[in-house]
mmCIF file of all heavy atoms in Angstrom:
data_model
loop_
_atom_site.group_PDB
_atom_site.id
_atom_site.type_symbol
_atom_site.label_atom_id
_atom_site.label_comp_id
_atom_site.label_asym_id
_atom_site.label_seq_id
_atom_site.Cartn_x
_atom_site.Cartn_y
_atom_site.Cartn_z
ATOM 1 N N MET N 225 103.879 101.804 85.967
ATOM 2 C CA MET N 225 103.595 101.516 87.374
ATOM 3 C C MET N 225 104.627 100.557 87.954
ATOM 4 O O MET N 225 105.072 100.713 89.095
ATOM 5 C CB MET N 225 102.197 100.920 87.546
ATOM 6 C CG MET N 225 101.108 101.947 87.532
ATOM 7 S SD MET N 225 99.541 101.271 88.102
ATOM 8 C CE MET N 225 99.105 100.200 86.751
ATOM 9 N N LEU N 226 105.007 99.554 87.170
ATOM 10 C CA LEU N 226 105.979 98.586 87.664
ATOM 11 C C LEU N 226 107.358 99.215 87.829
ATOM 12 O O LEU N 226 108.098 98.860 88.752
ATOM 13 C CB LEU N 226 106.029 97.363 86.748
ATOM 14 C CG LEU N 226 104.760 96.512 86.767
ATOM 15 C CD1 LEU N 226 104.862 95.387 85.746
ATOM 16 C CD2 LEU N 226 104.477 95.964 88.152
ATOM 17 N N ILE N 227 107.707 100.148 86.969
ATOM 18 C CA ILE N 227 108.970 100.870 87.156
ATOM 19 C C ILE N 227 108.907 101.669 88.452
ATOM 20 O O ILE N 227 109.846 101.667 89.242
ATOM 21 C CB ILE N 227 109.291 101.763 85.938
ATOM 22 C CG1 ILE N 227 109.640 100.893 84.728
ATOM 23 C CG2 ILE N 227 110.418 102.746 86.260
ATOM 24 C CD1 ILE N 227 109.729 101.642 83.411
ATOM 25 N N GLY N 228 107.776 102.329 88.695
ATOM 26 C CA GLY N 228 107.603 103.052 89.957
ATOM 27 C C GLY N 228 107.676 102.130 91.158
ATOM 28 O O GLY N 228 108.266 102.472 92.187
ATOM 29 N N TYR N 229 107.092 100.955 91.042
ATOM 30 C CA TYR N 229 107.150 99.949 92.104
ATOM 31 C C TYR N 229 108.606 99.604 92.398
ATOM 32 O O TYR N 229 109.040 99.577 93.551
ATOM 33 C CB TYR N 229 106.371 98.716 91.650
ATOM 34 C CG TYR N 229 106.231 97.608 92.668
ATOM 35 C CD1 TYR N 229 105.000 97.341 93.249
ATOM 36 C CD2 TYR N 229 107.299 96.789 93.010
ATOM 37 C CE1 TYR N 229 104.838 96.303 94.154
ATOM 38 C CE2 TYR N 229 107.154 95.765 93.917
ATOM 39 C CZ TYR N 229 105.929 95.518 94.490
ATOM 40 O OH TYR N 229 105.784 94.492 95.388
ATOM 41 N N ARG N 230 109.376 99.361 91.325
ATOM 42 C CA ARG N 230 110.799 99.002 91.493
ATOM 43 C C ARG N 230 111.595 100.145 92.102
ATOM 44 O O ARG N 230 112.452 99.936 92.963
ATOM 45 C CB ARG N 230 111.396 98.594 90.145
ATOM 46 C CG ARG N 230 112.895 98.335 90.170
ATOM 47 C CD ARG N 230 113.240 97.181 91.109
ATOM 48 N NE ARG N 230 114.657 96.964 91.175
ATOM 49 C CZ ARG N 230 115.482 97.488 92.090
ATOM 50 N NH1 ARG N 230 115.013 98.297 93.016
ATOM 51 N NH2 ARG N 230 116.756 97.218 92.075
ATOM 52 N N VAL N 231 111.321 101.363 91.681
ATOM 53 C CA VAL N 231 112.004 102.526 92.243
ATOM 54 C C VAL N 231 111.703 102.636 93.741
ATOM 55 O O VAL N 231 112.592 102.864 94.549
ATOM 56 C CB VAL N 231 111.623 103.815 91.486
ATOM 57 C CG1 VAL N 231 112.098 105.054 92.217
ATOM 58 C CG2 VAL N 231 112.193 103.787 90.068
ATOM 59 N N ALA N 232 110.433 102.439 94.110
ATOM 60 C CA ALA N 232 110.057 102.507 95.524
ATOM 61 C C ALA N 232 110.776 101.433 96.332
ATOM 62 O O ALA N 232 111.208 101.692 97.470
ATOM 63 C CB ALA N 232 108.541 102.381 95.675
ATOM 64 N N LEU N 233 110.921 100.235 95.779
ATOM 65 C CA LEU N 233 111.686 99.197 96.479
ATOM 66 C C LEU N 233 113.108 99.676 96.757
ATOM 67 O O LEU N 233 113.621 99.517 97.864
ATOM 68 C CB LEU N 233 111.734 97.907 95.648
ATOM 69 C CG LEU N 233 110.456 97.108 95.484
ATOM 70 C CD1 LEU N 233 110.686 95.946 94.501
ATOM 71 C CD2 LEU N 233 109.957 96.576 96.815
ATOM 72 N N GLY N 234 113.724 100.258 95.732
ATOM 73 C CA GLY N 234 115.092 100.744 95.880
ATOM 74 C C GLY N 234 115.204 101.889 96.863
ATOM 75 O O GLY N 234 116.110 101.915 97.714
ATOM 76 N N VAL N 235 114.310 102.845 96.783
ATOM 77 C CA VAL N 235 114.336 104.010 97.672
ATOM 78 C C VAL N 235 114.194 103.581 99.127
ATOM 79 O O VAL N 235 114.861 104.113 100.014
ATOM 80 C CB VAL N 235 113.222 105.012 97.281
ATOM 81 C CG1 VAL N 235 112.996 106.049 98.366
ATOM 82 C CG2 VAL N 235 113.561 105.687 95.961
ATOM 83 N N HIS N 236 113.341 102.601 99.362
ATOM 84 C CA HIS N 236 113.071 102.166 100.733
ATOM 85 C C HIS N 236 113.928 100.982 101.165
ATOM 86 O O HIS N 236 113.772 100.481 102.288
ATOM 87 C CB HIS N 236 111.588 101.845 100.900
ATOM 88 C CG HIS N 236 110.732 103.056 100.731
ATOM 89 N ND1 HIS N 236 110.668 104.063 101.673
ATOM 90 C CD2 HIS N 236 109.933 103.454 99.713
ATOM 91 C CE1 HIS N 236 109.861 105.009 101.247
ATOM 92 N NE2 HIS N 236 109.409 104.677 100.053
ATOM 93 N N GLY N 237 114.849 100.550 100.299
ATOM 94 C CA GLY N 237 115.763 99.473 100.648
ATOM 95 C C GLY N 237 115.071 98.145 100.902
ATOM 96 O O GLY N 237 115.485 97.376 101.760
ATOM 97 N N ILE N 238 114.025 97.873 100.154
ATOM 98 C CA ILE N 238 113.259 96.641 100.341
ATOM 99 C C ILE N 238 113.748 95.598 99.336
ATOM 100 O O ILE N 238 113.643 95.793 98.125
ATOM 101 C CB ILE N 238 111.751 96.901 100.142
ATOM 102 C CG1 ILE N 238 111.264 97.928 101.159
ATOM 103 C CG2 ILE N 238 110.961 95.591 100.244
ATOM 104 C CD1 ILE N 238 109.869 98.436 100.907
ATOM 105 N N PRO N 239 114.281 94.495 99.837
ATOM 106 C CA PRO N 239 114.731 93.444 98.919
ATOM 107 C C PRO N 239 113.536 92.634 98.409
ATOM 108 O O PRO N 239 112.692 92.201 99.177
ATOM 109 C CB PRO N 239 115.632 92.567 99.788
ATOM 110 C CG PRO N 239 115.147 92.777 101.183
ATOM 111 C CD PRO N 239 114.571 94.169 101.233
ATOM 112 N N GLU N 240 113.427 92.509 97.107
ATOM 113 C CA GLU N 240 112.369 91.696 96.501
ATOM 114 C C GLU N 240 112.840 91.267 95.125
ATOM 115 O O GLU N 240 113.390 92.078 94.381
ATOM 116 C CB GLU N 240 111.066 92.513 96.375
ATOM 117 C CG GLU N 240 109.935 91.728 95.744
ATOM 118 C CD GLU N 240 108.646 92.536 95.618
ATOM 119 O OE1 GLU N 240 108.296 93.281 96.556
ATOM 120 O OE2 GLU N 240 107.982 92.407 94.571
ATOM 121 N N ASP N 241 112.653 89.994 94.812
ATOM 122 C CA ASP N 241 112.918 89.557 93.449
ATOM 123 C C ASP N 241 111.943 90.305 92.554
ATOM 124 O O ASP N 241 110.743 90.333 92.823
ATOM 125 C CB ASP N 241 112.695 88.053 93.302
ATOM 126 C CG ASP N 241 113.787 87.231 93.956
ATOM 127 O OD1 ASP N 241 114.895 87.753 94.142
ATOM 128 O OD2 ASP N 241 113.520 86.065 94.290
ATOM 129 N N PHE N 242 112.476 90.925 91.517
ATOM 130 C CA PHE N 242 111.640 91.767 90.665
ATOM 131 C C PHE N 242 111.923 91.409 89.220
ATOM 132 O O PHE N 242 113.027 91.610 88.728
ATOM 133 C CB PHE N 242 111.923 93.245 90.944
ATOM 134 C CG PHE N 242 110.893 94.152 90.360
ATOM 135 C CD1 PHE N 242 109.692 94.356 91.008
ATOM 136 C CD2 PHE N 242 111.108 94.782 89.151
ATOM 137 C CE1 PHE N 242 108.719 95.188 90.471
ATOM 138 C CE2 PHE N 242 110.152 95.615 88.604
ATOM 139 C CZ PHE N 242 108.955 95.811 89.268
ATOM 140 N N ASP N 243 110.917 90.892 88.533
ATOM 141 C CA ASP N 243 111.093 90.347 87.186
ATOM 142 C C ASP N 243 110.895 91.340 86.051
ATOM 143 O O ASP N 243 111.103 90.993 84.900
ATOM 144 C CB ASP N 243 110.100 89.193 86.969
ATOM 145 C CG ASP N 243 110.375 88.024 87.901
ATOM 146 O OD1 ASP N 243 111.552 87.732 88.155
ATOM 147 O OD2 ASP N 243 109.391 87.414 88.366
ATOM 148 N N PHE N 244 110.507 92.584 86.357
ATOM 149 C CA PHE N 244 110.030 93.469 85.292
ATOM 150 C C PHE N 244 110.912 94.666 84.983
ATOM 151 O O PHE N 244 110.700 95.337 83.999
ATOM 152 C CB PHE N 244 108.603 93.937 85.628
ATOM 153 C CG PHE N 244 107.702 92.763 85.817
ATOM 154 C CD1 PHE N 244 107.448 92.261 87.075
ATOM 155 C CD2 PHE N 244 107.160 92.125 84.717
ATOM 156 C CE1 PHE N 244 106.648 91.151 87.244
ATOM 157 C CE2 PHE N 244 106.361 91.006 84.876
ATOM 158 C CZ PHE N 244 106.113 90.524 86.143
ATOM 159 N N TRP N 245 111.843 94.934 85.825
ATOM 160 C CA TRP N 245 112.792 96.046 85.570
ATOM 161 C C TRP N 245 113.803 96.002 86.684
ATOM 162 O O TRP N 245 113.444 96.075 87.848
ATOM 163 C CB TRP N 245 112.058 97.376 85.557
ATOM 164 C CG TRP N 245 112.908 98.558 85.180
ATOM 165 C CD1 TRP N 245 113.359 98.866 83.937
ATOM 166 C CD2 TRP N 245 113.375 99.582 86.045
ATOM 167 N NE1 TRP N 245 114.071 100.027 83.975
ATOM 168 C CE2 TRP N 245 114.105 100.486 85.268
ATOM 169 C CE3 TRP N 245 113.273 99.837 87.409
ATOM 170 C CZ2 TRP N 245 114.720 101.618 85.788
ATOM 171 C CZ3 TRP N 245 113.869 100.947 87.929
ATOM 172 C CH2 TRP N 245 114.585 101.822 87.120
ATOM 173 N N SER N 246 115.081 95.885 86.357
ATOM 174 C CA SER N 246 116.012 95.615 87.428
ATOM 175 C C SER N 246 117.260 96.466 87.609
ATOM 176 O O SER N 246 118.144 95.971 88.224
ATOM 177 C CB SER N 246 116.500 94.200 87.343
ATOM 178 O OG SER N 246 115.912 93.356 86.546
ATOM 179 N N PRO N 247 117.554 97.634 87.275
ATOM 180 C CA PRO N 247 117.046 98.371 86.123
ATOM 181 C C PRO N 247 117.476 97.683 84.834
ATOM 182 O O PRO N 247 118.417 96.930 84.827
ATOM 183 C CB PRO N 247 117.682 99.742 86.253
ATOM 184 C CG PRO N 247 118.889 99.538 87.087
ATOM 185 C CD PRO N 247 118.621 98.336 87.952
ATOM 186 N N GLY N 248 116.808 97.974 83.810
ATOM 187 C CA GLY N 248 117.020 97.316 82.529
ATOM 188 C C GLY N 248 115.783 96.516 82.189
ATOM 189 O O GLY N 248 114.728 96.732 82.753
ATOM 190 N N GLN N 249 115.921 95.594 81.300
ATOM 191 C CA GLN N 249 114.755 94.854 80.836
ATOM 192 C C GLN N 249 114.223 93.893 81.889
ATOM 193 O O GLN N 249 113.041 93.826 82.115
ATOM 194 C CB GLN N 249 115.093 94.110 79.551
ATOM 195 C CG GLN N 249 115.411 95.021 78.390
ATOM 196 C CD GLN N 249 114.191 95.750 77.872
ATOM 197 O OE1 GLN N 249 113.059 95.420 78.173
ATOM 198 N NE2 GLN N 249 114.418 96.772 77.079
ATOM 199 N N GLY N 250 115.086 93.124 82.527
ATOM 200 C CA GLY N 250 114.647 92.193 83.554
ATOM 201 C C GLY N 250 114.304 90.817 83.012
ATOM 202 O O GLY N 250 114.177 90.612 81.807
ATOM 203 N N PRO N 251 114.143 89.837 83.917
ATOM 204 C CA PRO N 251 113.895 88.444 83.517
ATOM 205 C C PRO N 251 112.647 88.242 82.661
ATOM 206 O O PRO N 251 112.668 87.435 81.737
ATOM 207 C CB PRO N 251 113.754 87.715 84.859
ATOM 208 C CG PRO N 251 114.536 88.547 85.820
ATOM 209 C CD PRO N 251 114.359 89.966 85.361
ATOM 210 N N PHE N 252 111.550 88.944 82.964
ATOM 211 C CA PHE N 252 110.346 88.763 82.159
ATOM 212 C C PHE N 252 110.601 89.184 80.714
ATOM 213 O O PHE N 252 110.226 88.467 79.783
ATOM 214 C CB PHE N 252 109.168 89.552 82.747
ATOM 215 C CG PHE N 252 107.915 89.462 81.917
ATOM 216 C CD1 PHE N 252 107.173 88.293 81.889
ATOM 217 C CD2 PHE N 252 107.487 90.534 81.157
ATOM 218 C CE1 PHE N 252 106.012 88.192 81.114
ATOM 219 C CE2 PHE N 252 106.327 90.446 80.387
ATOM 220 C CZ PHE N 252 105.597 89.275 80.363
ATOM 221 N N ALA N 253 111.218 90.317 80.506
ATOM 222 C CA ALA N 253 111.488 90.793 79.146
ATOM 223 C C ALA N 253 112.434 89.851 78.416
ATOM 224 O O ALA N 253 112.219 89.541 77.232
ATOM 225 C CB ALA N 253 112.066 92.208 79.175
ATOM 226 N N GLU N 254 113.462 89.369 79.102
ATOM 227 C CA GLU N 254 114.395 88.436 78.464
ATOM 228 C C GLU N 254 113.669 87.159 78.038
ATOM 229 O O GLU N 254 113.878 86.646 76.946
ATOM 230 C CB GLU N 254 115.545 88.116 79.418
ATOM 231 C CG GLU N 254 116.436 89.322 79.660
ATOM 232 C CD GLU N 254 117.429 89.100 80.790
ATOM 233 O OE1 GLU N 254 117.587 87.956 81.267
ATOM 234 O OE2 GLU N 254 118.045 90.099 81.209
ATOM 235 N N TRP N 255 112.794 86.659 78.905
ATOM 236 C CA TRP N 255 111.984 85.483 78.572
ATOM 237 C C TRP N 255 111.071 85.793 77.386
ATOM 238 O O TRP N 255 110.930 84.978 76.470
ATOM 239 C CB TRP N 255 111.169 85.068 79.803
ATOM 240 C CG TRP N 255 110.190 83.980 79.534
ATOM 241 C CD1 TRP N 255 110.425 82.645 79.577
ATOM 242 C CD2 TRP N 255 108.813 84.146 79.151
ATOM 243 N NE1 TRP N 255 109.270 81.958 79.247
ATOM 244 C CE2 TRP N 255 108.265 82.860 78.979
ATOM 245 C CE3 TRP N 255 107.986 85.249 78.948
ATOM 246 C CZ2 TRP N 255 106.943 82.643 78.619
ATOM 247 C CZ3 TRP N 255 106.670 85.046 78.583
ATOM 248 C CH2 TRP N 255 106.159 83.753 78.417
ATOM 249 N N LEU N 256 110.444 86.965 77.411
ATOM 250 C CA LEU N 256 109.498 87.357 76.371
ATOM 251 C C LEU N 256 110.157 87.420 74.999
ATOM 252 O O LEU N 256 109.584 86.970 74.011
ATOM 253 C CB LEU N 256 108.850 88.701 76.710
ATOM 254 C CG LEU N 256 107.818 89.202 75.711
ATOM 255 C CD1 LEU N 256 106.590 88.303 75.719
ATOM 256 C CD2 LEU N 256 107.441 90.640 76.012
ATOM 257 N N TRP N 257 111.362 87.969 74.923
ATOM 258 C CA TRP N 257 112.026 88.086 73.615
ATOM 259 C C TRP N 257 112.183 86.700 73.012
ATOM 260 O O TRP N 257 111.933 86.502 71.828
ATOM 261 C CB TRP N 257 113.387 88.759 73.716
ATOM 262 C CG TRP N 257 113.403 90.092 74.383
ATOM 263 C CD1 TRP N 257 114.439 90.595 75.125
ATOM 264 C CD2 TRP N 257 112.390 91.111 74.412
ATOM 265 N NE1 TRP N 257 114.102 91.837 75.610
ATOM 266 C CE2 TRP N 257 112.854 92.175 75.184
ATOM 267 C CE3 TRP N 257 111.118 91.212 73.867
ATOM 268 C CZ2 TRP N 257 112.113 93.327 75.424
ATOM 269 C CZ3 TRP N 257 110.362 92.352 74.110
ATOM 270 C CH2 TRP N 257 110.873 93.388 74.869
ATOM 271 N N GLN N 258 112.605 85.747 73.840
ATOM 272 C CA GLN N 258 112.757 84.379 73.328
ATOM 273 C C GLN N 258 111.399 83.795 72.953
ATOM 274 O O GLN N 258 111.260 83.156 71.913
ATOM 275 C CB GLN N 258 113.435 83.501 74.368
ATOM 276 C CG GLN N 258 114.870 83.872 74.605
ATOM 277 C CD GLN N 258 115.513 83.014 75.683
ATOM 278 O OE1 GLN N 258 114.924 82.072 76.188
ATOM 279 N NE2 GLN N 258 116.745 83.351 76.039
ATOM 280 N N ARG N 259 110.404 84.003 73.784
ATOM 281 C CA ARG N 259 109.050 83.457 73.561
ATOM 282 C C ARG N 259 108.449 83.981 72.261
ATOM 283 O O ARG N 259 107.782 83.253 71.538
ATOM 284 C CB ARG N 259 108.175 83.808 74.759
ATOM 285 C CG ARG N 259 106.692 83.561 74.633
ATOM 286 C CD ARG N 259 106.364 82.087 74.516
ATOM 287 N NE ARG N 259 104.938 81.848 74.523
ATOM 288 C CZ ARG N 259 104.089 82.158 73.554
ATOM 289 N NH1 ARG N 259 104.508 82.759 72.458
ATOM 290 N NH2 ARG N 259 102.811 81.874 73.663
ATOM 291 N N LEU N 260 108.699 85.256 71.961
ATOM 292 C CA LEU N 260 108.160 85.862 70.741
ATOM 293 C C LEU N 260 109.071 85.657 69.527
ATOM 294 O O LEU N 260 108.745 86.085 68.426
ATOM 295 C CB LEU N 260 107.897 87.361 70.949
ATOM 296 C CG LEU N 260 106.844 87.720 71.988
ATOM 297 C CD1 LEU N 260 106.713 89.238 72.112
ATOM 298 C CD2 LEU N 260 105.499 87.088 71.670
ATOM 299 N N GLY N 261 110.211 85.021 69.745
ATOM 300 C CA GLY N 261 111.115 84.715 68.642
ATOM 301 C C GLY N 261 111.995 85.865 68.198
ATOM 302 O O GLY N 261 112.500 85.853 67.078
ATOM 303 N N HIS N 262 112.195 86.858 69.059
ATOM 304 C CA HIS N 262 113.076 87.977 68.718
ATOM 305 C C HIS N 262 114.527 87.587 68.963
ATOM 306 O O HIS N 262 114.845 86.948 69.953
ATOM 307 C CB HIS N 262 112.755 89.215 69.558
ATOM 308 C CG HIS N 262 111.386 89.773 69.320
ATOM 309 N ND1 HIS N 262 110.983 90.284 68.112
ATOM 310 C CD2 HIS N 262 110.324 89.906 70.144
ATOM 311 C CE1 HIS N 262 109.745 90.710 68.198
ATOM 312 N NE2 HIS N 262 109.302 90.479 69.424
ATOM 313 N N LYS N 263 115.386 88.009 68.061
ATOM 314 C CA LYS N 263 116.813 87.738 68.230
ATOM 315 C C LYS N 263 117.465 88.728 69.178
ATOM 316 O O LYS N 263 118.455 88.420 69.823
ATOM 317 C CB LYS N 263 117.516 87.763 66.883
ATOM 318 C CG LYS N 263 117.097 86.633 65.975
ATOM 319 C CD LYS N 263 117.856 86.659 64.678
ATOM 320 C CE LYS N 263 117.378 85.514 63.806
ATOM 321 N NZ LYS N 263 118.153 85.365 62.610
ATOM 322 N N TYR N 264 116.911 89.922 69.249
ATOM 323 C CA TYR N 264 117.489 90.980 70.072
ATOM 324 C C TYR N 264 116.400 91.600 70.935
ATOM 325 O O TYR N 264 115.238 91.656 70.536
ATOM 326 C CB TYR N 264 118.115 92.070 69.191
ATOM 327 C CG TYR N 264 119.161 91.538 68.248
ATOM 328 C CD1 TYR N 264 118.862 91.320 66.906
ATOM 329 C CD2 TYR N 264 120.431 91.217 68.711
ATOM 330 C CE1 TYR N 264 119.808 90.803 66.038
ATOM 331 C CE2 TYR N 264 121.392 90.697 67.843
ATOM 332 C CZ TYR N 264 121.079 90.501 66.520
ATOM 333 O OH TYR N 264 122.017 89.984 65.674
ATOM 334 N N PRO N 265 116.788 92.125 72.094
ATOM 335 C CA PRO N 265 115.791 92.819 72.928
ATOM 336 C C PRO N 265 115.254 94.055 72.219
ATOM 337 O O PRO N 265 115.942 94.679 71.422
ATOM 338 C CB PRO N 265 116.585 93.234 74.171
ATOM 339 C CG PRO N 265 117.875 92.518 74.117
ATOM 340 C CD PRO N 265 118.105 92.083 72.709
ATOM 341 N N SER N 266 114.027 94.389 72.533
ATOM 342 C CA SER N 266 113.415 95.583 71.970
ATOM 343 C C SER N 266 113.751 96.781 72.844
ATOM 344 O O SER N 266 113.573 96.733 74.061
ATOM 345 C CB SER N 266 111.896 95.420 71.905
ATOM 346 O OG SER N 266 111.289 96.645 71.612
#
């Protein structure tokens, strides 16, 4: 759903800080990898 949300932002040209897919992992995922102690993104 969040990927769809991000796609809709892009399609409609709506600027919004988006933490969940930018495309790619995004800030939340980068934070999560560190929080869970992973050395590399999943």
